[in-house]
Amino acid sequence: ARYTVARIGFSQLTVFNSSELAPGLTLNAGDGYSVSKMRADMRMVRSYYGSRGYADAAVSPDIRNVTATSVQITYRVVEGRRYLVGRVTIEGNDKTQDKVIRRELPMQPGENLNSVEMDTTRRRLKNMNYFNDVQVSASPSSQAGYRDINILVSEKKTGSISFGIGFSSVDSIVGYVNLEQTNFDISNWGSFTGAGQRFSTKVQLGSERTDFRMSWTEPWFLGQRLALGTELFYRDALYYSSEYEQSQYGFALSLRKPVSKHAYVRGEFRIEDITIDADTGTSPVFMMEDGDYLRSSLSVNYVYDSRDSNQQPRKGHKLDFGVTYAGGILGGDVDIFIVNASGSKFWNLWGDSILSVKGAVTVADTHGDSAMAVS
């Protein structure tokens, strides 16, 4: 027989009341009885207490028949007491500096112990991609009313070198070498690891191109959650057209600042020299563009990222909206305005398969008196 829920209630509560907990329930009076929904509601109640310092709160269901096919569910809550965060100890980080881990913690000593933020801590540290495993637990403290937080990490190699060779119909034969260190320390001249900075350099050579890029990022500039990024680059490309060769080199400086739990704003200033070398005997249209151009641009992007992981997302989405302005008051020879948007959405399907849908749109146009729109 199909069972229904006649009534939902709570045992006697002293810290919170049932009107605060009831709106979060997914199983309500009149619904068909569901074990999965009941367990989800129990987790919700524990999280409600745990996020407010009651780390020992426990919930158990008392299920009783009202009629032959209906039940009454009473959630019996053992509230426990509120705890504060005591000492935070970190073990296993032989290379990574303590401060790199501590600055990712959403709770500090003296604050309410929050079981939800303990899960957030574990997720943040895993997303850094510095560790094979991360364990976060609470233990009794020597101070009454406190719980110590214990973080145990297992470090993995964060430096990599990769190389390859390939062929395409666009730029023929091409080879590359890429060197990357995601836990870089520019001041550690022994191993260059441990400070949580990111460094990469890539050289790509082919019959139709020469590429070089070097970048460095400090994710906590001036001790704030403000990422400072720099980039040097050079490109010489023949595959754009059979009528001309284009080369460019320059420098970029960027800042990224979180504005909410899932969103951040990124600004970048980029300056580059672009050379158009038209082939001898080509049409006058290309010959008119022959020469050197200075492109000075400023771009601002708003990014919303709710993915559950930045390594292998199974759910959530990422949206990126940006504008780029070049020339005008920034100087240079290239006057262009660009608006772009991109997005991706992820679903976790059967057998742990992942479905993703991605899309992008870009609109560009010149402004001012210049007709040059090198991008």
Side-chain angles (χ1 to χ4, degrees), residues 33 61 67 79 81 84 95 119 127 137 139 143 164 166 178 181 238 243 265 275 295 298 302 318 352 358 374:
Y33 175 70
T67 65
E79 298 174 310
R81 60 166 298 175
L84 302 177
K95 297 178 181 178
D119 292 334
N127 282 340
S137 60
S139 62
Q143 298 175 273
N178 184 47
Q181 174 57 260
L238 299 175
E243 307 293 338
V265 174
T275 300
R295 184 179 189 267
L298 182 66
Y302 173 83
K318 182 178 181 180
D352 200 28
K358 303 178 182 180
V374 179

Side-chain angles (χ1 to χ4, degrees), residues 16-75:
F16 305 107
N17 55 61
S18 58
S19 63
E20 296 175 274
L21 301 174
L25 297 177
T26 58
L27 184 62
N28 296 286
D31 295 342
Y33 175 70
S34 168
V35 174
S36 60
K37 286 186 176 181
M38 182 181 69
R39 289 175 177 171
D41 289 344
M42 291 166 62
R43 289 194 296 270
M44 182 276 297
V45 174
R46 285 197 298 268
S47 295
Y48 191 92
Y49 275 84
S51 65
R52 290 157 177 80
Y54 295 85
D56 292 338
V59 185
S60 59
D62 183 1
I63 306 172
R64 300 187 181 186
N65 281 84
V66 175
T67 65
T69 57
S70 65
V71 296
Q72 171 183 298
I73 301 175
T74 302
Y75 294 111

Side-chain angles (χ1 to χ4, degrees), residues 65-371:
N65 281 84
V66 175
T67 65
T69 57
S70 65
V71 296
Q72 171 183 298
I73 301 175
T74 302
Y75 294 111
R76 302 197 176 279
V77 183
V78 179
E79 298 174 310
R81 60 166 298 175
R82 175 178 286 179
Y83 288 95
L84 302 177
V85 177
R87 296 180 58 191
V88 178
T89 59
I90 303 172
E91 296 180 357
N93 54 320
D94 298 326
K95 297 178 181 178
T96 307
Q97 299 173 13
D98 265 27
K99 69 176 183 179
V100 174
I101 297 176
R102 291 184 184 277
R103 67 194 185 190
E104 296 294 331
L105 306 184
M107 51 184 174
Q108 302 298 325
E111 298 179 351
N112 286 334
L113 180 62
N114 190 323
S115 60
V116 175
E117 290 187 346
M118 289 177 63
D119 292 334
T120 301
T121 298
R122 184 182 300 106
R123 185 172 62 253
R124 283 185 181 179
L125 296 181
K126 286 288 288 184
N127 282 340
M128 293 172 72
N129 205 25
Y130 299 165
F131 313 110
N132 287 312
D133 187 37
V134 177
Q135 298 179 24
V136 182
S137 60
S139 62
S141 174
S142 58
Q143 298 175 273
Y146 287 79
R147 286 287 177 89
D148 293 336
I149 303 297
N150 306 303
I151 300 174
L152 177 62
V153 298
S154 173
E155 292 189 306
K156 66 180 181 180
K157 294 180 179 180
T158 54
S160 64
I161 181 170
S162 58
F163 56 89
I165 188 169
F167 174 83
S168 76
S169 59
V170 176
D171 52 355
S172 190
I173 298 176
V174 60
Y176 75 91
V177 177
N178 184 47
L179 175 65
E180 186 174 29
Q181 174 57 260
T182 58
N183 191 7
F184 188 69
D185 185 354
I186 197 172
S187 63
N188 185 357
W189 291 86
S191 62
F192 290 102
T193 59
Q197 302 162 2
R198 299 179 185 274
F199 172 83
S200 69
T201 181
K202 183 176 183 179
V203 178
Q204 193 165 342
L205 300 173
S207 58
E208 299 289 323
R209 73 162 73 188
T210 300
D211 281 345
F212 170 78
R213 289 184 181 272
M214 180 183 293
S215 64
W216 172 83
T217 302
E218 168 53 72
W220 283 76
F221 183 54
L222 300 177
Q224 303 293 319
R225 190 176 283 274
L226 181 68
L228 172 68
T230 61
E231 181 184 21
L232 288 171
F233 57 89
Y234 170 81
R235 164 173 285 189
D236 186 11
L238 299 175
Y239 61 84
Y240 287 141
S241 171
S242 59
E243 307 293 338
Y244 69 92
E245 176 183 351
Q246 178 174 319
S247 62
Q248 56 201 89
Y249 64 90
F251 171 78
L253 183 69
S254 65
L255 286 173
R256 188 180 74 177
K257 175 68 176 178
V259 293
S260 69
K261 183 179 179 180
H262 296 293
Y264 64 85
V265 174
R266 182 178 184 272
E268 179 186 81
F269 175 74
R270 181 177 293 259
I271 186 167
E272 55 189 316
D273 182 88
I274 302 171
T275 300
I276 304 296
D277 186 8
D279 294 341
T280 303
T282 188
S283 68
V285 174
F286 289 103
M287 293 301 298
M288 288 176 59
E289 305 295 342
D290 189 89
D292 288 329
Y293 302 90
L294 181 67
R295 184 179 189 267
S296 179
S297 64
L298 182 66
S299 62
V300 178
N301 288 70
Y302 173 83
V303 180
Y304 183 88
D305 188 354
S306 65
R307 298 175 300 170
D308 61 337
S309 170
N310 59 6
Q311 305 298 320
Q312 189 176 25
R314 287 176 168 80
K315 61 180 180 179
H317 58 270
K318 182 178 181 180
L319 303 174
D320 188 338
F321 305 94
V323 294
T324 299
Y325 178 86
I329 60 175
L330 299 177
D333 308 307
V334 181
D335 297 330
I336 190 171
F337 186 76
I338 302 172
V339 178
N340 62 276
S342 63
S344 57
K345 174 69 175 177
F346 300 85
W347 294 270
N348 192 202
L349 306 180
W350 60 93
D352 200 28
S353 57
I354 303 170
L355 173 65
S356 64
V357 177
K358 303 178 182 180
V361 60
T362 301
V363 179
D365 200 359
T366 57
H367 65 84
D369 298 329
S370 172

